[in-house]
Amino acid sequence: MLLTRIDHVAIAVHDLEAAIDYHRRAFGAEVHHREVVDSDGVEEALLEVGGSFIQLTTPTRSDSPIAVFLEKRGEGLHHIGYRVDNCVDALASVVAAGGTAIDEQPRPGSRGTIVAFVHPKGSFGTLVELVEEPA
Ligand code: CO
């Protein structure tokens, strides 16, 4: 088994502050980590849930994939992050199984992680992010 846990569930939102405030009031959730990821054009807030995260994510520019998603689909579930021990191996296994890599090579993600996205087409309609923790 190459997956070691659900790393995060990512929700695309228009207003990050409003989404954080809602999760605080509804669940008592606090922000564990917050980061602007320039390469992806997003700002994200991670709320820890038993060693996994809810990742609230909002675009920082209009050509960001999250901006395009919000425009087309509105707010909601965007992707699921699967934690793996080795992103290169996991991505190769996905491709060997018939999945489609969006990232041909793993690349830096937030929190110093190494990540690779897998296309929803071929992955049962679900955008998946493979996430390797920093060593
Ligand atoms: Co993610």
Side-chain angles (χ1 to χ4, degrees):
M1 173 60 166
L2 297 180
L3 309 181
T4 60
R5 74 167 58 201
I6 302 298
D7 187 84
H8 62 275
V9 172
I11 300 172
V13 303
H14 286 296
D15 183 336
L16 190 58
E17 303 308 326
I20 290 169
D21 182 62
Y22 169 78
H23 284 78
R24 182 180 292 123
R25 288 182 295 105
F27 305 117
E30 295 296 333
V31 174
H32 172 87
H33 180 81
R34 193 163 169 162
E35 184 171 339
V36 172
V37 184
D38 274 325
S39 53
D40 290 337
V42 299
E43 180 171 7
E44 59 184 52
L46 295 174
L47 314 177
E48 188 174 4
V49 183
S52 299
F53 302 100
I54 297 167
Q55 180 193 81
L56 304 172
T57 183
T58 200
T60 55
R61 54 175 192 261
S62 60
D63 65 342
S64 148
I66 295 289
V68 174
F69 177 89
L70 285 170
E71 179 77 21
K72 277 190 187 161
R73 309 270 295 271
E75 293 179 305
L77 187 61
H78 183 261
H79 66 270
I80 298 182
Y82 291 159
R83 180 85 58 83
V84 298
D85 286 332
N86 184 306
C87 207
V88 170
D89 290 351
L91 188 60
S93 183
V94 163
V95 171
T100 303
I102 292 175
D103 298 300
E104 301 282 335
Q105 300 289 334
R107 60 183 178 82
S110 64
R111 292 188 302 117
T113 55
I114 301 294
V115 304
F117 278 89
V118 177
H119 202 283
K121 195 176 170 183
S123 192
F124 301 91
T126 305
L127 178 60
V128 167
E129 180 182 13
L130 305 172
V131 183
E132 178 184 335
E133 282 283 300

